[in-house]
Every structure is written in structure tokens, then in C-alpha cells.
Amino acid sequence: MKLSRLHHSSLLLLGFFLSFFVFSCQSEVNSEKEAETTKVEEKVDESLKSSVKANHLVETADVKAMYDEGKAFKVIEISKKDAFEKGHLPGAVNFWRPDYEGGSYDYGGMRASPEEMAALLGSNGISADDFLVIYDTKGSVDAIRFMWMLDMYGHENMAVMNGGKAAWKADGFELTTEVTKADPVLYTFSNAPDYTRLASMEDVLAAMADTNYILLDTREPEEYQGVPYVSKGVCYPYKKGAFTYGRIPGSIHLNWSDAVDLNGDHRFKSLKDLKYNFEKAGITPDKKVIAYCQSGVRSAHTTYVLTEILGFEDVKNYDGSWIEWSHNYINKGGVAIERDIDDAEHKKRFAELEAELSKAAE
């Protein structure tokens, strides 16, 4: 009897040690796995374009796989008609800026209303349940502005294809010239509008007096400086659609296109490059940012980069941008502008550019 109890006790003790040994080994294995995971995370090379990962962003290979696997999704190309007709992704429908421009303003370039957007989508066979892949022909700037509108109005499932048509072709994927006709459907946005990422002119005026804000001009340098410029052999005093030249007082400048590789595959630049460019311009996450451009297109792109890629918490896109601001300056007052040069110097430089173009044409 005593021996049986002793034997039983020994077995219990042995079991305890075996359990402890197994637990210890398992803990070591888990620790090693966690360490390996940490090492993998640390190996992300931020100097590579592939380091950019974000919500609402897909790569060309992801889209190609969706085609190959027969997944259900709709494709939208934001481009002029002639660019679309030369080749596009299979099944894509084509929209361009006038298709989703609001018609109730005294100036152009403003976003369409939720009702106008719903009508556009529904007439092209797109429903609220569809997953949308949106792309364009220039660094995703138009695709992101279009997605920014849809997101604000309540469409849930969508993504921009990184690099757009340029990246698709660079990766060796084929385009088609076949046009897909879709039966109209009734489109209703899934959610109520959320204007968190939208800034009004009143918001900009308030931000001008608040040191917690950065007003970020994402236009070309000549637009920001308010100087005449030449584009495609034509001299302009300021960009067509605006009412005068200059910038919103107190704004700083960073061209939207500094975020993408327009000389290559049009994809976003690496995380390292993106962080460097914004930090160099003094744009840091501790500040609130309102971005603007000519009509809210380029600034929507910058808003996306700051929020979805770099994780800034408070960034808004001033959709009225310079068109609305300059319209109010000329026609209504109540807003101020800044310029690098005065009217006399502006006229002089414009005349000099025109003379140079004339001489070159001789």
C-alpha cells in the first residue's frame, strides 16, 4: 500500500515536470516565432516603392489576379475619351472631369452632388454593392479625386490601382479597345455623406488665423508664385479656370507630383521619399493640414497620401481651391491673396514670354 502511494506520487511528480518542460519549450518556440515576426517587420525597406501599403490601394498584379480568378468587380478609367479609346483595362467604363462636375456654381471645377454622382454611376451599370477598381493615366491624381468623392458620399468598396495605366503597361499586362455596354441600374449610396475630409472656404479662413494649421498649396511652382508660364507652346497669365493669379496667404508649397514617379511607372514613390519630401517642407503629423490646388483634384491626391499612406490624422481637401478663392477675391471680396510679383511685373513677364514664343516660331 505504501509502495503504491509512493509510486503514484512519483508519477504525479514526473507528470508535473514533463508538463513544465513542454510548456517551457512551447514558450520558447512562441518567443522565437514572435522574434522572427518582429525581424520580418523590421526588414521592410522603406527605400523601395513596394514599401507603400495603404487602404483603398491595389497593385496591378492584384487586379490581374482578380480578372484571372473571375472575381466580380467593376473598373473605371478616369481619362479623356481619346486616351480611353487607345486602350483600357477589360470591361472598364470611362469618365472624365466634366462627367462629375457640379453644375450649381458660378465657376467650374467643383464636385458633383451625391445625387449627380449616383445618377452617373447607375447609368453606367454600377451599383452600391460593386467593388470598384479606379485608375487613370497620370499618377492616380484623377482616380484618387474620384475615389475621394465616392468615399465622402458613402460608397464602401473600392480601391485605386497604384500607377494606373502606366503601371499596368509597364508590368506587361494587356489593354483592350473593346467597349463594354452596361445596363443602367438604380444606384443608392450605402452610407450617409461624411464630410470629414472636406474643407470649405470658411474653414480655410479660420485656419489662416490658427497656428495649428498648415495651408498646403499642391499646384505647380508657377501657379503658387503667381507668375506667367508656358505650357505646350502657349503662354498663360494664370491657369485657365481661375479668375486671377496668386495663392492663399500663408500657404506653403509642395507639388502633388513629388509623391509619384511620373517619369517611370507612375506609382507612388517609396515611404522614405514621401516622408522626406513632406518633412523637408515642414509638413508634420502634429499639425492639421488643409490642402488645395486649382480645383481640388491634385489636393485630393495629397490628402490621400498624408492620411492613408503616412497616417496623418487631420487633413482636409479644400475642394473649391484656387478657382473658388480667386472668384471670391475678384467678384465678392472678403478674401486676400499673395503674389510674388505685382501687376506691372506680371504684365512685363507675360509680354516677354510671348515675344520669346513668337521668335521661336519664326
Side-chain angles (χ1 to χ4, degrees), residues 87-163:
H88 49 266
L89 270 65
V93 297
N94 179 217
F95 300 144
W96 185 231
R97 295 179 184 181
D99 296 327
Y100 48 90
E101 183 175 311
S104 60
Y105 299 91
D106 295 332
Y107 38 86
M110 293 296 287
R111 68 193 182 282
S113 67
E115 294 76 19
E116 290 168 328
M117 288 295 287
L120 175 65
L121 296 170
S123 64
N124 285 274
I126 297 171
S127 68
D129 296 329
D130 286 329
F131 180 80
L132 307 181
V133 173
I134 310 166
Y135 72 96
D136 63 25
T137 60
K138 189 178 179 181
S140 300
V141 65
D142 284 293
I144 286 177
R145 201 292 184 98
F146 191 81
M147 184 175 70
W148 174 79
M149 293 169 61
L150 291 185
D151 181 62
M152 180 167 58
Y153 291 154
H155 191 93
E156 290 186 337
N157 301 315
M158 57 187 167
V160 163
M161 186 174 74
N162 192 7

Side-chain angles (χ1 to χ4, degrees), residues 56-77:
H56 304 115
L57 186 69
V58 291
E59 294 296 329
T60 57
D62 300 325
V63 178
K64 181 61 166 60
M66 290 165 64
Y67 278 118
D68 294 342
E69 294 168 10
K71 292 187 176 179
F73 63 104
K74 299 289 177 64
V75 186
I76 299 172
E77 175 174 312

Side-chain angles (χ1 to χ4, degrees), residues 261-332:
D261 180 12
L262 286 183
N263 293 320
D265 60 13
H266 287 206
R267 283 185 169 93
F268 287 108
K269 292 181 179 178
S270 69
L271 273 179
K272 181 179 179 181
D273 287 339
L274 293 176
K275 290 177 180 178
Y276 175 81
N277 288 341
F278 283 99
E279 288 174 2
K280 184 179 179 182
I283 305 160
T284 52
D286 59 304
K287 294 290 188 178
K288 300 176 181 180
V289 180
I290 294 179
Y292 76 93
C293 58
Q294 167 86 345
S295 60
V297 177
R298 291 170 283 182
S299 48
H301 187 279
T302 301
T303 298
Y304 177 86
V305 173
L306 289 172
T307 56
E308 301 288 345
I309 296 177
L310 297 180
F312 281 51
E313 293 185 0
D314 197 334
V315 184
K316 295 182 179 182
N317 177 29
Y318 175 27
D319 196 50
S321 281
W322 184 247
I323 288 181
E324 181 182 52
W325 193 270
S326 62
H327 172 270
N328 278 269
Y329 175 77
I330 293 295
N331 297 291
K332 296 182 179 182

Side-chain angles (χ1 to χ4, degrees), residues 5 9 14 36 45 51 78 96 113 125-126 153-154 160 169 204 295 309 321 329 349:
R5 288 178 178 173
S9 300
L14 179 61
E36 289 175 359
D45 188 347
S51 62
I78 310 295
W96 185 231
S113 67
I126 297 171
Y153 291 154
V160 163
K169 292 192 293 185
V204 176
S295 60
I309 296 177
S321 281
Y329 175 77
R349 293 192 187 185

